[in-house]
Amino acid sequence: MLIKCGALFFLSSYIAHYTRLRHRFSQISVFNMGTSIKASVLALCLLFLLSASANSASNGGLIRVGLKKRKVDQLNQINGHGVSTQGNVRRNFGLESPLIDSDTDIIELKNYMDAQYYGEIGIGSPPQMFTVIFDTGSSNLWVPSAKCYFSVACLFHSKYKASHSSTYKKNGTSAAIQYGTGAISGFFSQDSVQLGDLVVKEQDFIEATKEPGITFLAAKFDGIFGLGFQEISVGNAVPVWYNMVNQGLIPEPVFSFWFNRNADEDEGGELVFGGVDPDHFKGKHTYVPVTQKGYWQFDMGDVLIGDRSTGFCSDGCAAIADSGTSLLAGPTTIITQINHAIGAAGVMSQQCKTLVSQYGKTIIEMLLSEAQPGKICSEMNLCTFDGSRDVSSMIESVVDKNNNGVVHDEMCTFCEMAVVWVQTQIKKNQTEDSIINYVNELCDKLPSPMGESAVECNSLSSMPNIAFTIGGNTFDLTPEQYVLKIGEGDVAQCISGFTALDVPPPRGPLWILGDVFMGRYHTVFDYGRLRVGFAEAA
């Protein structure tokens, strides 16, 4: 029973991250925000788990805030996750990236089940300590406030007390942030923020006075430390790491992540501000330019299953590196193909199979007659749009405000996916019956509304590698790296690291390379040169 609870907690944790993804691109309001939280009963298991503590140490000028991992068999009792940051730099060893030396400050990360990485910071004078998620997908710093009276979550986390700090300055501007896993609201304050031995002065941050829902109640962290660009900062607040650069606390406007995905080790990883640690990667980084400031967004090339191209991103796709997201998310169409290839079992969609039985042969005939793929579904009167949009969310119908409130129906979505799937099989010269059977199999593998897909733990050896082309180089993930295993022996459960997320144009299609990817590849965020770099993690 206890092991089951541990596994359910992991599911609720990664589902929560998936839900947050679905709302990454919704509007963030500064003064007023509605809250829409889909709390899973699975998260209730969290209430029976104890919180992990963060350790801090200084060694040879390096300042580390402990990120520790907990073994799966410890889930019944306790858990954790973390990150590290910063330093003076050298340009040795033929590397383009700055390297940390003995003057560099580092924040170590804690790791909770490879799903949450958090570390410790201080706010105020003397510093009041908080554990935070270091999140490249948002830009604000927030922690619970001592004035949070009516949210149960605040009772279980550290709270900032302005009256206890000699460097506190009142601001008072209202603020609110909506995440997929929940919403927080409160007001801005200003104070010093400490990371290891570094002290960032006069930093604006949010005191959260409301944290509704079960998500933040069960979270292992107190708040979130945003590492995105100021362009997506609520209230246009200057991000902490901007001020680290502006105040001359770090030599280079660079930070880098190393996540330790070895479940047998306590160390969770490091976030390094000011450079990179050469002990954390092998070879050289592949750098790609940031294409849109806000998230750390860049252009990604092809997606491969085994050694075969899916063709989905042959003309390029947008992607972001997101340390605050546990899994790897992409468009439903291709994620379904990936999960099919690795034998992941999602929730069967009868609507999808109905679409195939009614229109499958027609789609094949139209593609063979060289009809425009993007217009096939509208020509069959299944879609209002004529191919100017990509696949919308299959999970829930959405209203596009830019299209006069017309609802993009699920049958249209299934049709658009079927066209892509059929097209790939036609290119392989498959027979009509083979194509229909293949598409029906993909329908069986469609993920559930929350994105869960399970795999057989004893099948890892037969699963293909999944690879992504970035900057002309191929970055692969082995089954051991993209499958998350919970428990041991007969009670072990394995979860696919791929989850579906459909972001419509112009921002999408969009891939979110979360901790599953960043755990395999050491990631450098270079603000000075506006680029992101990836190298094999050591």
Side-chain angles (χ1 to χ4, degrees):
M1 179 62 185
L2 290 176
I3 293 176
K4 179 69 171 177
C5 185
L8 288 179
F9 169 71
F10 173 78
L11 285 173
S12 66
S13 175
Y14 108 70
I15 288 170
H17 279 271
Y18 166 78
T19 310
R20 178 170 70 87
L21 276 174
R22 293 176 56 78
H23 292 268
R24 274 280 195 205
F25 306 95
S26 59
Q27 185 176 6
I28 299 177
S29 167
V30 180
F31 299 103
N32 185 9
M33 172 156 296
T35 60
S36 175
I37 306 170
K38 299 179 180 178
S40 170
V41 294
L42 300 180
L44 290 172
C45 289
L46 286 173
L47 302 180
F48 299 98
L49 302 177
L50 301 177
S51 298
S53 61
N55 298 318
S56 178
S58 178
N59 183 11
L62 297 179
I63 298 169
R64 305 174 183 273
V65 179
L67 293 184
K68 295 185 178 180
K69 288 191 173 188
R70 302 292 179 176
K71 295 181 180 179
V72 174
D73 59 8
Q74 292 176 296
L75 290 179
N76 305 321
Q77 307 169 14
I78 205 163
N79 51 44
H81 174 131
V83 172
S84 87
T85 119
Q86 145 122 66
N88 284 341
V89 300
R90 298 175 288 127
R91 296 189 180 277
N92 302 358
F93 309 104
L95 294 170
E96 295 183 78
S97 306
L99 301 177
I100 65 168
D101 63 17
S102 60
D103 294 326
T104 301
D105 291 318
I106 292 177
I107 293 179
E108 295 180 1
L109 302 177
K110 292 184 180 294
N111 176 10
Y112 178 61
M113 295 182 71
D114 290 339
Q116 296 176 18
Y117 288 86
Y118 55 86
E120 191 176 56
I121 66 169
I123 302 179
S125 302
Q128 301 170 40
M129 306 312 294
F130 301 90
T131 54
V132 294
I133 292 283
F134 292 91
D135 180 20
T136 58
S138 64
S139 299
N140 291 87
L141 168 63
W142 68 263
V143 295
S145 171
K147 296 181 180 180
C148 180
Y149 304 119
F150 302 110
S151 294
V152 177
C154 291
L155 300 176
F156 291 85
H157 292 92
S158 299
K159 293 177 287 294
Y160 172 77
K161 302 176 179 63
S163 60
H164 290 191
S165 174
S166 62
T167 48
Y168 161 76
K169 292 182 180 180
K170 182 177 180 180
N171 181 311
T173 304
S174 298
I177 304 177
Q178 177 85 50
Y179 299 98
T181 48
I184 66 99
S185 60
F187 56 89
F188 279 103
S189 290
Q190 188 179 97
D191 209 332
S192 298
V193 174
Q194 181 172 335
L195 298 96
D197 285 343
L198 296 180
V199 177
V200 181
K201 298 179 180 178
E202 298 181 339
Q203 175 64 48
D204 290 328
F205 68 99
I206 298 172
E207 289 191 50
T209 56
K210 292 183 180 179
E211 297 181 33
I214 199 170
T215 298
F216 296 118
L217 170 64
K220 302 307 301 178
F221 54 90
D222 300 315
I224 291 179
F225 186 114
L227 290 168
F229 291 90
Q230 190 172 359
E231 279 78 356
I232 59 170
S233 175
V234 168
N236 199 37
V238 178
V240 181
W241 70 276
Y242 275 46
N243 280 330
M244 293 171 69
V245 175
N246 296 338
Q247 295 176 21
L249 301 178
I250 56 177
E252 295 280 344
V254 174
F255 59 90
S256 55
F257 274 94
W258 170 65
F259 289 153
N260 184 3
R261 303 288 278 188
N262 189 336
D264 295 327
E265 297 181 6
D266 289 339
E267 186 178 15
E270 288 185 347
L271 163 61
V272 178
F273 284 107
V276 301
D277 187 336
D279 293 334
H280 291 159
F281 63 90
K282 303 174 184 178
K284 294 184 178 181
H285 288 83
T286 295
Y287 285 95
V288 287
V290 172
T291 55
Q292 182 172 331
K293 291 171 67 176
Y295 308 103
W296 288 88
Q297 183 172 322
F298 54 91
D299 287 335
M300 186 182 80
D302 203 1
V303 180
L304 296 87
I305 300 176
D307 58 356
R308 290 194 171 191
S309 168
T310 61
F312 188 83
C313 289
S314 56
D315 294 327
C317 283
I320 66 173
D322 188 355
S323 62
T325 295
S326 306
L327 303 183
L328 196 157
T332 300
T333 302
I334 189 64
I335 291 296
T336 302
Q337 289 180 268
I338 291 174
N339 279 334
H340 173 263
I342 68 176
V347 176
M348 187 180 96
S349 170
Q350 190 58 45
Q351 284 180 290
C352 180
K353 288 196 147 188
T354 299
L355 180 282
V356 174
S357 66
Q358 292 179 354
Y359 300 101
K361 292 185 178 181
T362 303
I363 291 173
I364 294 174
E365 292 171 357
M366 294 180 73
L367 285 171
L368 289 174
S369 65
E370 299 185 354
Q372 294 185 35
K375 295 187 177 182
I376 286 177
C377 297
S378 60
E379 290 177 4
M380 292 192 298
N381 296 319
L382 292 176
C383 293
T384 303
F385 308 106
D386 61 358
S388 59
R389 289 176 51 102
D390 213 302
V391 178
S392 170
S393 173
M394 60 152 281
I395 304 302
E396 58 183 0
S397 296
V398 296
V399 176
D400 188 337
K401 297 179 180 179
N402 297 322
N403 287 278
N404 301 318
V406 178
V407 174
H408 195 48
D409 189 75
E410 286 183 355
M411 288 300 284
C412 173
T413 296
F414 294 135
C415 177
E416 290 177 333
M417 289 192 293
V419 168
V420 174
W421 295 336
V422 169
Q423 191 175 23
T424 61
Q425 295 303 296
I426 289 178
K427 291 179 179 179
K428 297 178 181 179
N429 295 318
Q430 298 294 318
T431 65
E432 181 179 286
D433 288 343
S434 295
I435 293 174
I436 295 297
N437 290 336
Y438 175 77
V439 175
N440 273 320
E441 288 177 8
L442 292 182
C443 285
D444 284 336
K445 303 299 182 180
L446 283 171
S448 73
M450 282 301 175
E452 313 96 317
S453 292
V455 298
E456 294 293 334
C457 293
N458 58 6
S459 299
L460 268 64
S461 61
S462 63
M463 296 179 190
N465 288 356
I466 306 298
F468 302 85
T469 304
I470 301 173
N473 292 326
T474 300
F475 295 80
D476 67 337
L477 296 172
T478 67
E480 291 76 15
Q481 291 160 349
Y482 64 68
V483 171
L484 306 179
K485 187 176 181 181
I486 314 302
E488 298 292 338
D490 294 338
V491 295
Q493 298 183 35
C494 289
I495 307 299
S496 168
F498 301 101
T499 189
L501 172 72
D502 292 298
V503 178
R507 291 185 175 179
L510 185 71
W511 288 80
I512 289 79
L513 306 186
D515 299 345
V516 165
F517 186 86
M518 291 177 62
R520 173 77 169 93
Y521 294 102
H522 180 267
T523 307
V524 178
F525 298 84
D526 188 340
Y527 179 71
R529 300 187 184 184
L530 285 181
R531 61 181 185 171
V532 183
F534 303 98
E536 183 181 355

PDB file of all heavy atoms in Angstrom, residues 508-528:
ATOM      1  N   GLY A 508       3.395  27.802 -31.675  1.00  0.00           N
ATOM      2  CA  GLY A 508       3.627  26.384 -31.859  1.00  0.00           C
ATOM      3  C   GLY A 508       3.666  26.002 -33.310  1.00  0.00           C
ATOM      4  O   GLY A 508       3.466  26.851 -34.185  1.00  0.00           O
ATOM      5  N   PRO A 509       3.883  24.715 -33.594  1.00  0.00           N
ATOM      6  CA  PRO A 509       4.139  23.643 -32.637  1.00  0.00           C
ATOM      7  C   PRO A 509       5.407  23.922 -31.816  1.00  0.00           C
ATOM      8  O   PRO A 509       6.361  24.494 -32.323  1.00  0.00           O
ATOM      9  CB  PRO A 509       4.335  22.412 -33.524  1.00  0.00           C
ATOM     10  CG  PRO A 509       3.732  22.762 -34.835  1.00  0.00           C
ATOM     11  CD  PRO A 509       3.919  24.240 -34.981  1.00  0.00           C
ATOM     12  N   LEU A 510       5.365  23.495 -30.562  1.00  0.00           N
ATOM     13  CA  LEU A 510       6.454  23.791 -29.645  1.00  0.00           C
ATOM     14  C   LEU A 510       6.824  22.541 -28.861  1.00  0.00           C
ATOM     15  O   LEU A 510       5.944  21.822 -28.388  1.00  0.00           O
ATOM     16  CB  LEU A 510       6.042  24.908 -28.692  1.00  0.00           C
ATOM     17  CG  LEU A 510       7.116  25.410 -27.738  1.00  0.00           C
ATOM     18  CD1 LEU A 510       8.176  26.204 -28.501  1.00  0.00           C
ATOM     19  CD2 LEU A 510       6.501  26.290 -26.651  1.00  0.00           C
ATOM     20  N   TRP A 511       8.108  22.300 -28.730  1.00  0.00           N
ATOM     21  CA  TRP A 511       8.603  21.217 -27.893  1.00  0.00           C
ATOM     22  C   TRP A 511       9.159  21.805 -26.601  1.00  0.00           C
ATOM     23  O   TRP A 511       9.804  22.850 -26.613  1.00  0.00           O
ATOM     24  CB  TRP A 511       9.717  20.450 -28.610  1.00  0.00           C
ATOM     25  CG  TRP A 511       9.210  19.616 -29.742  1.00  0.00           C
ATOM     26  CD1 TRP A 511       8.896  20.036 -30.999  1.00  0.00           C
ATOM     27  CD2 TRP A 511       8.938  18.219 -29.705  1.00  0.00           C
ATOM     28  NE1 TRP A 511       8.442  18.992 -31.764  1.00  0.00           N
ATOM     29  CE2 TRP A 511       8.462  17.859 -30.994  1.00  0.00           C
ATOM     30  CE3 TRP A 511       9.059  17.230 -28.731  1.00  0.00           C
ATOM     31  CZ2 TRP A 511       8.111  16.547 -31.326  1.00  0.00           C
ATOM     32  CZ3 TRP A 511       8.704  15.925 -29.051  1.00  0.00           C
ATOM     33  CH2 TRP A 511       8.238  15.594 -30.324  1.00  0.00           C
ATOM     34  N   ILE A 512       8.885  21.130 -25.492  1.00  0.00           N
ATOM     35  CA  ILE A 512       9.401  21.549 -24.202  1.00  0.00           C
ATOM     36  C   ILE A 512      10.376  20.477 -23.731  1.00  0.00           C
ATOM     37  O   ILE A 512       9.974  19.360 -23.386  1.00  0.00           O
ATOM     38  CB  ILE A 512       8.290  21.769 -23.151  1.00  0.00           C
ATOM     39  CG1 ILE A 512       7.477  23.023 -23.475  1.00  0.00           C
ATOM     40  CG2 ILE A 512       8.894  21.942 -21.766  1.00  0.00           C
ATOM     41  CD1 ILE A 512       6.460  22.847 -24.551  1.00  0.00           C
ATOM     42  N   LEU A 513      11.653  20.800 -23.766  1.00  0.00           N
ATOM     43  CA  LEU A 513      12.687  19.860 -23.350  1.00  0.00           C
ATOM     44  C   LEU A 513      12.922  20.055 -21.861  1.00  0.00           C
ATOM     45  O   LEU A 513      13.678  20.931 -21.443  1.00  0.00           O
ATOM     46  CB  LEU A 513      13.970  20.083 -24.156  1.00  0.00           C
ATOM     47  CG  LEU A 513      13.817  20.059 -25.687  1.00  0.00           C
ATOM     48  CD1 LEU A 513      15.183  20.147 -26.359  1.00  0.00           C
ATOM     49  CD2 LEU A 513      13.067  18.824 -26.151  1.00  0.00           C
ATOM     50  N   GLY A 514      12.242  19.254 -21.073  1.00  0.00           N
ATOM     51  CA  GLY A 514      12.301  19.380 -19.625  1.00  0.00           C
ATOM     52  C   GLY A 514      13.420  18.552 -19.013  1.00  0.00           C
ATOM     53  O   GLY A 514      14.437  18.258 -19.650  1.00  0.00           O
ATOM     54  N   ASP A 515      13.209  18.139 -17.769  1.00  0.00           N
ATOM     55  CA  ASP A 515      14.268  17.490 -17.013  1.00  0.00           C
ATOM     56  C   ASP A 515      14.694  16.152 -17.612  1.00  0.00           C
ATOM     57  O   ASP A 515      15.838  15.731 -17.434  1.00  0.00           O
ATOM     58  CB  ASP A 515      13.823  17.291 -15.562  1.00  0.00           C
ATOM     59  CG  ASP A 515      13.528  18.613 -14.867  1.00  0.00           C
ATOM     60  OD1 ASP A 515      13.942  19.662 -15.406  1.00  0.00           O
ATOM     61  OD2 ASP A 515      12.888  18.601 -13.802  1.00  0.00           O
ATOM     62  N   VAL A 516      13.778  15.458 -18.302  1.00  0.00           N
ATOM     63  CA  VAL A 516      14.153  14.203 -18.955  1.00  0.00           C
ATOM     64  C   VAL A 516      15.288  14.439 -19.946  1.00  0.00           C
ATOM     65  O   VAL A 516      16.238  13.653 -20.029  1.00  0.00           O
ATOM     66  CB  VAL A 516      12.932  13.579 -19.675  1.00  0.00           C
ATOM     67  CG1 VAL A 516      13.367  12.489 -20.647  1.00  0.00           C
ATOM     68  CG2 VAL A 516      11.950  13.007 -18.656  1.00  0.00           C
ATOM     69  N   PHE A 517      15.211  15.543 -20.690  1.00  0.00           N
ATOM     70  CA  PHE A 517      16.262  15.873 -21.662  1.00  0.00           C
ATOM     71  C   PHE A 517      17.466  16.523 -20.984  1.00  0.00           C
ATOM     72  O   PHE A 517      18.616  16.158 -21.233  1.00  0.00           O
ATOM     73  CB  PHE A 517      15.701  16.804 -22.731  1.00  0.00           C
ATOM     74  CG  PHE A 517      16.656  17.081 -23.854  1.00  0.00           C
ATOM     75  CD1 PHE A 517      16.735  16.222 -24.945  1.00  0.00           C
ATOM     76  CD2 PHE A 517      17.481  18.188 -23.837  1.00  0.00           C
ATOM     77  CE1 PHE A 517      17.628  16.458 -25.985  1.00  0.00           C
ATOM     78  CE2 PHE A 517      18.376  18.441 -24.870  1.00  0.00           C
ATOM     79  CZ  PHE A 517      18.445  17.568 -25.949  1.00  0.00           C
ATOM     80  N   MET A 518      17.213  17.482 -20.117  1.00  0.00           N
ATOM     81  CA  MET A 518      18.302  18.211 -19.476  1.00  0.00           C
ATOM     82  C   MET A 518      19.099  17.323 -18.522  1.00  0.00           C
ATOM     83  O   MET A 518      20.248  17.619 -18.200  1.00  0.00           O
ATOM     84  CB  MET A 518      17.763  19.441 -18.751  1.00  0.00           C
ATOM     85  CG  MET A 518      17.255  20.520 -19.696  1.00  0.00           C
ATOM     86  SD  MET A 518      16.523  21.957 -18.845  1.00  0.00           S
ATOM     87  CE  MET A 518      17.941  22.563 -17.922  1.00  0.00           C
ATOM     88  N   GLY A 519      18.495  16.217 -18.052  1.00  0.00           N
ATOM     89  CA  GLY A 519      19.240  15.273 -17.246  1.00  0.00           C
ATOM     90  C   GLY A 519      20.282  14.526 -18.059  1.00  0.00           C
ATOM     91  O   GLY A 519      21.327  14.128 -17.542  1.00  0.00           O
ATOM     92  N   ARG A 520      20.018  14.340 -19.325  1.00  0.00           N
ATOM     93  CA  ARG A 520      20.958  13.666 -20.228  1.00  0.00           C
ATOM     94  C   ARG A 520      21.996  14.626 -20.783  1.00  0.00           C
ATOM     95  O   ARG A 520      23.134  14.240 -21.051  1.00  0.00           O
ATOM     96  CB  ARG A 520      20.158  13.039 -21.373  1.00  0.00           C
ATOM     97  CG  ARG A 520      20.984  12.445 -22.509  1.00  0.00           C
ATOM     98  CD  ARG A 520      21.582  11.115 -22.142  1.00  0.00           C
ATOM     99  NE  ARG A 520      22.133  10.446 -23.303  1.00  0.00           N
ATOM    100  CZ  ARG A 520      23.398  10.533 -23.716  1.00  0.00           C
ATOM    101  NH1 ARG A 520      24.247  11.300 -23.043  1.00  0.00           N
ATOM    102  NH2 ARG A 520      23.820   9.886 -24.777  1.00  0.00           N
ATOM    103  N   TYR A 521      21.590  15.906 -20.932  1.00  0.00           N
ATOM    104  CA  TYR A 521      22.467  16.878 -21.570  1.00  0.00           C
ATOM    105  C   TYR A 521      22.655  18.123 -20.704  1.00  0.00           C
ATOM    106  O   TYR A 521      21.685  18.811 -20.370  1.00  0.00           O
ATOM    107  CB  TYR A 521      21.918  17.248 -22.951  1.00  0.00           C
ATOM    108  CG  TYR A 521      21.947  16.071 -23.894  1.00  0.00           C
ATOM    109  CD1 TYR A 521      20.783  15.362 -24.176  1.00  0.00           C
ATOM    110  CD2 TYR A 521      23.144  15.632 -24.448  1.00  0.00           C
ATOM    111  CE1 TYR A 521      20.811  14.243 -25.007  1.00  0.00           C
ATOM    112  CE2 TYR A 521      23.185  14.521 -25.275  1.00  0.00           C
ATOM    113  CZ  TYR A 521      22.020  13.826 -25.550  1.00  0.00           C
ATOM    114  OH  TYR A 521      22.061  12.722 -26.365  1.00  0.00           O
ATOM    115  N   HIS A 522      23.895  18.347 -20.336  1.00  0.00           N
ATOM    116  CA  HIS A 522      24.272  19.556 -19.607  1.00  0.00           C
ATOM    117  C   HIS A 522      23.866  20.764 -20.455  1.00  0.00           C
ATOM    118  O   HIS A 522      24.140  20.818 -21.651  1.00  0.00           O
ATOM    119  CB  HIS A 522      25.785  19.554 -19.380  1.00  0.00           C
ATOM    120  CG  HIS A 522      26.295  20.737 -18.653  1.00  0.00           C
ATOM    121  ND1 HIS A 522      26.770  21.872 -19.296  1.00  0.00           N
ATOM    122  CD2 HIS A 522      26.426  20.994 -17.326  1.00  0.00           C
ATOM    123  CE1 HIS A 522      27.168  22.751 -18.396  1.00  0.00           C
ATOM    124  NE2 HIS A 522      26.975  22.246 -17.197  1.00  0.00           N
ATOM    125  N   THR A 523      23.197  21.723 -19.841  1.00  0.00           N
ATOM    126  CA  THR A 523      22.593  22.817 -20.605  1.00  0.00           C
ATOM    127  C   THR A 523      23.137  24.167 -20.143  1.00  0.00           C
ATOM    128  O   THR A 523      23.136  24.468 -18.951  1.00  0.00           O
ATOM    129  CB  THR A 523      21.062  22.805 -20.456  1.00  0.00           C
ATOM    130  OG1 THR A 523      20.573  21.499 -20.787  1.00  0.00           O
ATOM    131  CG2 THR A 523      20.421  23.819 -21.387  1.00  0.00           C
ATOM    132  N   VAL A 524      23.587  24.966 -21.112  1.00  0.00           N
ATOM    133  CA  VAL A 524      24.122  26.299 -20.839  1.00  0.00           C
ATOM    134  C   VAL A 524      23.157  27.343 -21.374  1.00  0.00           C
ATOM    135  O   VAL A 524      22.716  27.273 -22.527  1.00  0.00           O
ATOM    136  CB  VAL A 524      25.502  26.497 -21.508  1.00  0.00           C
ATOM    137  CG1 VAL A 524      26.021  27.914 -21.263  1.00  0.00           C
ATOM    138  CG2 VAL A 524      26.498  25.469 -20.986  1.00  0.00           C
ATOM    139  N   PHE A 525      22.814  28.317 -20.541  1.00  0.00           N
ATOM    140  CA  PHE A 525      21.949  29.431 -20.916  1.00  0.00           C
ATOM    141  C   PHE A 525      22.826  30.682 -20.966  1.00  0.00           C
ATOM    142  O   PHE A 525      23.223  31.215 -19.929  1.00  0.00           O
ATOM    143  CB  PHE A 525      20.816  29.590 -19.904  1.00  0.00           C
ATOM    144  CG  PHE A 525      19.912  28.381 -19.822  1.00  0.00           C
ATOM    145  CD1 PHE A 525      20.256  27.292 -19.027  1.00  0.00           C
ATOM    146  CD2 PHE A 525      18.731  28.324 -20.543  1.00  0.00           C
ATOM    147  CE1 PHE A 525      19.438  26.169 -18.950  1.00  0.00           C
ATOM    148  CE2 PHE A 525      17.905  27.215 -20.479  1.00  0.00           C
ATOM    149  CZ  PHE A 525      18.258  26.134 -19.683  1.00  0.00           C
ATOM    150  N   ASP A 526      23.139  31.110 -22.156  1.00  0.00           N
ATOM    151  CA  ASP A 526      24.097  32.193 -22.377  1.00  0.00           C
ATOM    152  C   ASP A 526      23.346  33.460 -22.785  1.00  0.00           C
ATOM    153  O   ASP A 526      22.999  33.644 -23.955  1.00  0.00           O
ATOM    154  CB  ASP A 526      25.094  31.779 -23.465  1.00  0.00           C
ATOM    155  CG  ASP A 526      26.243  32.775 -23.631  1.00  0.00           C
ATOM    156  OD1 ASP A 526      26.094  33.935 -23.204  1.00  0.00           O
ATOM    157  OD2 ASP A 526      27.280  32.394 -24.205  1.00  0.00           O
ATOM    158  N   TYR A 527      23.102  34.330 -21.808  1.00  0.00           N
ATOM    159  CA  TYR A 527      22.362  35.560 -22.085  1.00  0.00           C
ATOM    160  C   TYR A 527      23.210  36.552 -22.866  1.00  0.00           C
ATOM    161  O   TYR A 527      22.708  37.305 -23.705  1.00  0.00           O
ATOM    162  CB  TYR A 527      21.889  36.199 -20.780  1.00  0.00           C
ATOM    163  CG  TYR A 527      21.138  37.488 -20.970  1.00  0.00           C
ATOM    164  CD1 TYR A 527      19.861  37.495 -21.525  1.00  0.00           C
ATOM    165  CD2 TYR A 527      21.701  38.704 -20.596  1.00  0.00           C
ATOM    166  CE1 TYR A 527      19.169  38.678 -21.707  1.00  0.00           C
ATOM    167  CE2 TYR A 527      21.015  39.904 -20.774  1.00  0.00           C
ATOM    168  CZ  TYR A 527      19.746  39.876 -21.328  1.00  0.00           C
ATOM    169  OH  TYR A 527      19.062  41.050 -21.526  1.00  0.00           O
ATOM    170  N   GLY A 528      24.518  36.563 -22.599  1.00  0.00           N
ATOM    171  CA  GLY A 528      25.404  37.505 -23.273  1.00  0.00           C
ATOM    172  C   GLY A 528      25.406  37.319 -24.780  1.00  0.00           C
ATOM    173  O   GLY A 528      25.453  38.287 -25.539  1.00  0.00           O
TER     174      GLY A 528
END
